[in-house]
């Protein structure tokens, strides 16, 4: 493994524009199980009933019961060494952007500044009627009973700034990701199988333009066959080792 860590650091140093694509595997060590895994939220809830845009309109009480449970789980989570390693790499100029399918905001809390969120962020809220922001603290403070929160200005239903099932990926995220899909010459695929659209387009596009791919995942990814380097293991071990190697070889 150690030669692969050294090789990964070399490839990152050689890159003109490196980006990382992250998914659920990043946050498992922070106590957020993959929604799709056994024991994950989707084994307990039907996403159509609790996380679709039609359910939010039809049965906001049921959706908000689920959102509160998810918010508690995410609220307790802290960034893990994988998040910190990526933030460190960005600060040192080795990484240009984090493109993520995660909604937990842990990349930003670890200190990453250029984070492109395909699926939104479950710690930001706004009114569905007047579009005004609604602070997270008020969601938390409304306490037990957990009625869906209402806008103080207009009484509209408040929702998280998440992409629900049945909604489109935000335009801004798509155009920002497109910018890096065109400009990056190295993609690090970390903690994701990479099968979810539109995230899945980035590695193939960079690779076909002559760029390189590194994957860091426990069970490989959809790109194993076209990756230049595969590191098989938990991101919370491997990413800090790569960041350390980059720091050592810098001096
Ligand atoms: Zn409002």
């Amino acid at each position: 493994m150690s030669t692969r860590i050294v090789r990964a650091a070399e490839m990152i140093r050689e890159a003109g524009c490196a980006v990382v694509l992250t998914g659920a595997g990043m946050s498992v060590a922070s106590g957020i199980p993959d929604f799709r895994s056994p024991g994950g939220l989707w084994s307990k809830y039907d996403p159509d009933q609790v996380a679709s845009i039609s359910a939010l309109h039809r049965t906001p009480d049921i959706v908000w019961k689920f959102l509160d449970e998810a918010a508690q789980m995410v609220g307790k989570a802290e960034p893990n060494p994988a998040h910190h390693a990526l933030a460190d790499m960005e600060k040192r100029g080795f990484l240009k952007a984090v493109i993520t399918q995660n909604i937990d905001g842990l990349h930003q809390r670890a200190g990453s500044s250029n984070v492109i969120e395909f699926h939104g962020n479950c710690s930001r809220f706004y009114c569905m009627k007047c579009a005004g922001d609604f602070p997270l603290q008020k969601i938390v403070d409304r306490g037990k009973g957990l009625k869906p929160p209402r806008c103080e200005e207009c009484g509209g239903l408040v929702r998280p700034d998440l992409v629900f099932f049945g909604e489109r990926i935000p335009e801004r995220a798509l155009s920002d990701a497109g910018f890096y899909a065109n400009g990056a010459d190295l993609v690090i695929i970390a903690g994701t199988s990479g099968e979810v659209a539109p995230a899945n387009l980035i590695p193939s596009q960079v690779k076909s333009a002559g760029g390189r791919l590194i994957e860091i995942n426990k069970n490989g990814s959809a790109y194993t066959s076209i990756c230049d380097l595969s590191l098989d293991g938990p991101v919370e071990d491997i990413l800090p080792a790569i960041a350390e190697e980059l720091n050592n070889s810098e001096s």
Side-chain angles (χ1 to χ4, degrees), residues 17 19 96-97 99 114 116 118 171-185 202 205-206:
C17 178
V19 300
K96 294 288 187 269
I99 303 167
N114 192 16
I116 299 167
F118 275 133
E171 280 302 322
R172 174 77 197 274
L174 283 178
S175 63
D176 287 353
F179 174 80
Y180 289 108
N182 284 320
D185 56 2
I202 298 169
Q205 196 175 329
V206 168

Side-chain angles (χ1 to χ4, degrees), residues 12 21 46 61 88-89 133 137 155 157 202 225 228 247:
I12 292 167
L21 185 62
D46 176 357
D61 286 41
D88 182 52
M89 283 160 63
D133 288 337
Q137 199 54 47
L157 183 65
I202 298 169
S225 61
D228 299 272
N247 294 347

